[in-house]
Amino acid sequence: MALANSVIWITGASSGIGEAISLAVSKLSNVKLVLSARRADELHRVAIATGLPASNVLILPMDVADLDSLPAHVETVRQRFGRIDYLFQNAGISQRSLVIDTNFSVYKQIMDVNFFGVVALTKAVLPLMLAQGSGHFVVTSSVAGKLATKQRSGYCASKHALHGFFDALRSEVYEAGLRVTIVCPGYIRTAISINALGPDGHTHGKMDENQEIGMAPEDFAQRLLRAVSKEKEEVYIGGSEIYGIYLKRFLPGLLSRILRNRKGV
Ligand SMILES: NC(=O)c1ccc[n+]([C@@H]2O[C@H](COP(=O)([O-])OP(=O)(O)OC[C@H]3O[C@@H](n4cnc5c(N)ncnc54)[C@H](OP(=O)(O)O)[C@@H]3O)[C@@H](O)[C@H]2O)c1
């Protein structure tokens, strides 16, 4: 697989999808891993679970919303491993609140983590990848990056924004040998709904039914790695909810009616 023999940096590596990607890539030969998220203790747990020697893993705790700190983290990775071949930008937070109820600060927090943090880290890594003449940005969007559902106005906006940014970047850096894959997961069985922000910024704290019956993150990770090794530009991974993306493209009026009549979260 193309990802073997490479330096792979994963944000949001402390749980869910990022943890599953970390474990999946650790099985490839001669991989050097950088694991990032805020919770250092959880990153240590994941690092041990990879079974990789300590010399091949850098645990790099960070808050992606602390935008000014990101260039220094890139420098730490460069000094340790000399290069960055794959950057999986997967850290993210969701939302469960109606527009009418949502404090503006919640929108700011979601955009800082899901969009501006991604833009800032991309810009910090880009000069190194351009100097290498290679590098692959893998970005976790969502089905909510292609269509919008109730109680996720800020989340959907942040994920839609990623598509605009990375579609532009992809064209700009293609000739320089860099690649961009955007992945839109459907419902994946993680803590995303538990960690989602409510109207005042407190966490939702509940496992939603759709997440509970969603795809296992391990299956998701395997499918994603296949898509990345084929340099797919955009990939949809999940259950039947993925068809919503095609409805949005070909029958937008029908999808709109379905979504406005939908009950619950
Ligand atoms: N699960 C789904 O159904 C689904 C569907 C579509 C898209 N997604 C996307 O998939 C990605 C991963 O989510 P998940 O499902 O695996 O949920 P999760 O289990 O809640 O994982 C979220 C990850 O993001 C990290 N994170 C959150 N805020 C951060 C910050 N400010 N700085 C650094 N790291 C931060 C968390 O680590 P710390 O708390 O340790 O910082 C955690 O590792 C997200 O971008 C999400 O939007 C998920």
Side-chain angles (χ1 to χ4, degrees):
M1 189 176 268
L3 291 95
N5 307 306
S6 59
V7 178
I8 302 174
W9 187 357
I10 299 160
T11 72
S14 63
S15 78
I17 289 175
E19 175 176 352
I21 295 170
S22 305
L23 296 175
V25 296
S26 68
K27 305 289 175 279
L28 304 172
S29 71
N30 191 30
V31 156
K32 299 196 173 67
L33 262 190
V34 184
L35 303 178
S36 289
R38 289 165 302 178
R39 289 170 298 165
D41 50 343
E42 290 300 311
L43 294 175
H44 278 280
R45 178 185 60 75
V46 174
I48 290 166
T50 65
L52 289 172
S55 56
N56 283 32
V57 185
L58 171 62
I59 294 168
L60 188 58
M62 65 186 212
D63 183 342
V64 294
D66 184 0
L67 307 181
D68 293 338
S69 72
L70 300 179
H73 293 308
V74 175
E75 186 51 25
T76 302
V77 178
R78 196 190 62 77
Q79 283 185 11
R80 173 71 181 269
F81 291 134
R83 55 186 297 117
I84 298 166
D85 297 300
Y86 292 89
L87 174 60
F88 285 76
Q89 298 205 75
N90 166 78
I93 41 172
S94 192
Q95 176 191 8
R96 296 293 182 273
S97 57
L98 299 171
V99 174
I100 187 74
D101 300 327
T102 304
N103 288 351
F104 187 77
S105 59
V106 170
Y107 288 109
K108 206 152 169 323
Q109 192 179 343
I110 290 173
M111 287 303 284
D112 276 349
V113 175
N114 293 2
F115 182 65
F116 288 116
V118 177
V119 171
L121 187 56
T122 300
K123 277 184 63 61
V125 167
L126 191 55
L128 178 58
M129 286 191 176
L130 288 172
Q132 292 170 183
S134 68
H136 197 142
F137 293 100
V138 184
V139 187
T140 308
S141 172
S142 172
V143 170
K146 305 297 283 185
L147 55 85
T149 57
K150 292 174 189 172
Q151 300 210 42
R152 293 164 176 78
S153 51
Y155 181 69
C156 293
S158 69
K159 295 297 189 180
H160 274 69
L162 290 174
H163 288 263
F165 180 81
F166 281 101
D167 285 351
L169 180 70
R170 185 189 291 112
S171 311
E172 290 179 13
V173 299
Y174 186 86
E175 289 297 328
L178 275 56
R179 297 293 176 260
V180 172
T181 298
I182 303 187
V183 57
C184 300
Y187 295 120
I188 313 298
R189 203 183 315 134
T190 70
I192 189 84
S193 67
I194 296 171
N195 296 327
L197 300 184
D200 56 3
H202 286 101
T203 50
H204 177 61
K206 277 186 250 160
M207 175 64 108
D208 287 352
E209 198 187 322
N210 283 327
Q211 247 72 48
E212 196 148 31
I213 59 170
M215 177 181 280
E218 297 75 20
D219 295 343
F220 173 89
Q222 289 304 334
R223 290 180 198 212
L224 175 59
L225 295 195
R226 280 198 293 276
V228 170
S229 61
K230 290 179 188 159
E231 300 186 351
K232 296 274 187 202
E233 294 191 348
E234 189 167 293
V235 54
Y236 314 136
I237 303 175
S240 58
E241 64 278 6
I242 295 300
Y243 296 121
I245 296 174
Y246 298 100
L247 277 183
K248 174 74 179 175
R249 195 177 300 163
F250 299 114
L251 295 166
L254 173 62
L255 180 70
S256 179
R257 276 201 300 285
I258 293 170
L259 293 178
R260 74 175 175 244
N261 292 327
R262 201 166 170 230
K263 301 277 180 269
V265 296

